[in-house]
Structures are given as C-alpha cells and as structure tokens.
Amino acid sequence: MTSREKHLSRGYAAVYSQFDSPLIQKVRSEAFEEDIGQHSWLVANELREYLNWLSLSRADQVLDFGCGPAGPLTYLVTHSEVTAAGVDINAAALTSAQKRVTAMGLSDRIALHDVSGNAELPFANEGFSHVISIDVVMHLPDRQDSLAKLWRVLKPGGRLLFTDACIVNGVLSDEDIRIRSHYGLSHFVPEGFNESALASAGFTLEKKEKHSDGLIAICSGRWQARERYKKELVGEFGEAAFEHEQAYLKKLVEIYSEQKLLRYAYLANKC
Ligand SMILES: C[S@@+](CC[C@H](N)C(=O)[O-])C[C@H]1O[C@@H](n2cnc3c(N)ncnc32)[C@H](O)[C@@H]1O
C-alpha cells in the first residue's frame, strides 16, 4: 500500500474497530431506516433494486470489491443462492465482516480476503459472474487499473455494478472538498468520466441511475441519531472527533441536496 492508502486505511480502521460496539449499534439502528450493516451510502431499498438488476442464480459467483464489514454482501448472499468473495484493504473491516458472516451462518458461501498487500486480486481469470463495489471507486488511485483488474476476474458476459458518490456537478469550494475528503485519498470526477473509463477497460454500460437521495437520508439520519447520543459519543471518542463527524455529515447533506456532487450507480457488461 502507498502511504496515502495507509492513511485511508487508518481512517476506516477507527470506524470499523467500533462498528459492532453496543453504542454504535444503537446509533446505527436509529440512523438507518433499515440497518443492513452497510458502511456506505447504500439504502436497503437500493440494494433490493440492484438484486433485480443482477437477477442472480445458484450458479453465480459474486465478488464484492471493497466489502467493508460485509453488510451489503451478506444481505445479497442471504437473498440469493450465490457463493461469493469479499475483499478489502482494511483488516478491521474484515474482522467485523468475518464475525457477521459466521454469525449469519454463511461461512460456506462467503470467503473474505485481505488485499492490502496485493498488487493483483488473488483470483483466477474469469472466476466471477458478477462484481459489485459500493462506494469504493472514489478511493482508488488508478481507476483504469482497478477496472482492468475487475475485468480480468469477470467471466465473458459478466456484470459489474458499482456506485460513485463523487461526481462533480457544481461549484465546490476548497472547504467542501476538504470536508468531503473525510477519510483522505479521494477522487472527484466529472460527468462522463466513469463511462469513458468503463469503455476503455472493455465494458459496455447497460444502465446508469442517479442515487443521491439515500445518501442524504443516511447523513441526515446519522447526524440526528448522533446528536441524541452526543453525551455517550463524546465520552467514548472525545468532543473534537464528535464535532468533526457532525460537520462532515452536515456538509454532505448540503452539497448533495444542492446537487454540487452526485452519486450514481452503474451497471456494465464485460462483452
Ligand atoms: C465506503 S466503504 C464501503 C464498504 C462497503 N462496500 C459497504 O457498502 O458497506 C469503502 C470501502 O472501500 C475499501 N477500500 C478502499 N480502497 C480499496 C482498495 N484499493 N481495495 C479494496 N478495498 C478498498 C475501504 O477499506 C472501505 O472498506
């Protein structure tokens, strides 16, 4: 990992090491309309929509690239008959993911891999029928290279579904960008960037939809739930960390409501 990726990983580790604590569980259960264990801007209804897009069957193998604590991945596997793998660069995410997979009795259907030290994905060519990647691409230093890696592990005709919450659609100040880059390593791209990157990597775009509303609902839900548990959260993490996160959530509600940044879901095909 580069030093910027290590910094990113430390930022996520601070969240993931507390992901299953009783206090954070309580906040999550009040913040999310439906808590499926996501650490992203994905609402459960959207994931159900993606399941329709993918129409998975028993013979399919799914890779979740940047699975985090595996909330969306375990939901997808529970609601289909597929086998799956999840990869992430964050050890704390994978510890939480493994706990979740075991608790849900999915150990024989989901394998988890730490890819922090890998230049390549640890899978054979054409091993997966589907790849999903929820709110990860903004962190990838070389999107073209990452898409090429995902193309390699997909079977011909396989499908890639990913979301990108950092599409620039208006004027962003230095403060907007600084606060939005909460975890460090972040990339903000113009409309059309992902379409070109997909085409260069050999994918055909099947579908693209704007999905910013869930993000706004999650940020606002988290902000309000955290205010209700302010005393406990400040006691556990300190005043500065509490206020920093609140400012981040408030700023996101503002910039996505004003549509300065957009979040899109893309479905593409390896032709
Ligand atoms: C916003 S979280 C999303 C987690 C999960 N997809 C979800 O929906 O709950 C982004 C995740 O991407 C992971 N990540 C960032 N760069 C990565 C990379 N190069 N390879 C794999 N995972 C990466 C982070 O560690 C983090 O867990």
Side-chain angles (χ1 to χ4, degrees):
M1 274 200 286
T2 63
S3 63
R4 298 197 65 215
E5 283 173 304
K6 280 186 191 144
H7 178 261
L8 173 82
S9 200
R10 274 197 300 274
Y12 271 111
V15 176
Y16 290 147
S17 58
Q18 296 295 325
F19 199 75
D20 302 311
S21 82
L23 175 58
I24 296 301
Q25 289 298 321
K26 222 162 19 173
V27 173
R28 291 179 58 82
S29 70
E30 293 184 26
F32 287 83
E33 201 178 281
E34 197 178 334
D35 179 11
I36 56 166
Q38 66 276 60
H39 184 67
S40 57
W41 311 119
L42 178 74
V43 290
N45 272 341
E46 241 171 56
L47 182 54
R48 286 188 274 275
E49 191 180 340
Y50 299 159
L51 280 167
N52 283 335
W53 290 9
L54 297 172
S55 59
L56 300 167
S57 67
R58 179 188 282 271
D60 289 326
Q61 304 87 22
V62 179
L63 170 64
D64 186 353
F65 181 72
C67 63
L73 177 60
T74 48
Y75 187 95
L76 178 146
V77 168
T78 307
H79 290 81
S80 65
E81 294 182 293
V82 302
T83 52
V87 302
D88 205 286
I89 54 169
N90 194 288
L94 292 166
T95 301
S96 173
Q98 190 56 64
K99 238 194 268 175
R100 188 176 190 87
V101 165
T102 306
M104 292 176 76
L106 297 171
S107 303
D108 54 340
R109 292 174 59 204
I110 299 179
L112 297 165
H113 302 263
D114 184 338
V115 292
S116 55
N118 299 24
E120 259 303 335
L121 289 171
F123 306 111
N125 293 351
E126 303 181 0
F128 295 95
S129 58
H130 297 77
V131 175
I132 64 165
S133 188
I134 306 298
D135 297 334
V136 180
V137 288
M138 71 170 288
H139 297 311
L140 303 174
D142 185 338
R143 196 160 311 190
Q144 207 60 61
D145 178 62
S146 301
L147 286 175
K149 286 174 180 160
L150 299 180
W151 192 91
R152 180 184 70 74
V153 300
L154 266 173
K155 294 180 197 299
R159 295 163 101 197
L160 166 65
L161 184 151
F162 72 96
T163 57
D164 187 353
C166 283
I167 308 296
V168 178
N169 188 54
V171 178
L172 293 159
S173 70
D174 58 330
E175 196 201 6
D176 294 336
I177 302 254
R178 182 179 55 76
I179 297 181
R180 180 63 185 91
S181 308
H182 187 61
Y183 290 102
L185 192 61
S186 306
H187 301 86
F188 299 84
V189 302
E191 277 278 3
F193 178 87
N194 285 318
E195 288 84 334
S196 302
L198 282 165
S200 305
F203 287 99
T204 304
L205 186 64
E206 273 184 54
K207 201 190 268 275
K208 172 190 171 191
E209 277 186 15
K210 180 152 78 71
H211 285 172
S212 300
D213 291 351
L215 180 153
I216 297 168
I218 288 172
C219 289
S220 138
R222 269 173 56 187
W223 189 90
Q224 287 170 40
R226 287 171 52 83
E227 283 296 317
R228 285 195 290 277
Y229 290 97
K230 178 168 179 175
K231 196 160 153 243
E232 293 90 329
L233 290 165
V234 168
E236 187 77 30
F237 305 107
E239 179 97 32
F242 176 83
E243 294 301 345
H244 185 72
E245 177 94 15
Q246 291 303 80
Y248 166 64
L249 296 169
K250 198 168 169 198
K251 173 61 83 179
L252 263 63
V253 172
E254 177 195 312
I255 57 185
Y256 286 89
S257 300
E258 291 173 7
Q259 305 206 41
K260 293 177 177 175
L261 281 178
L262 305 175
R263 177 174 180 271
Y264 277 109
Y266 302 83
L267 179 67
N269 199 289
K270 173 175 174 177
C271 356

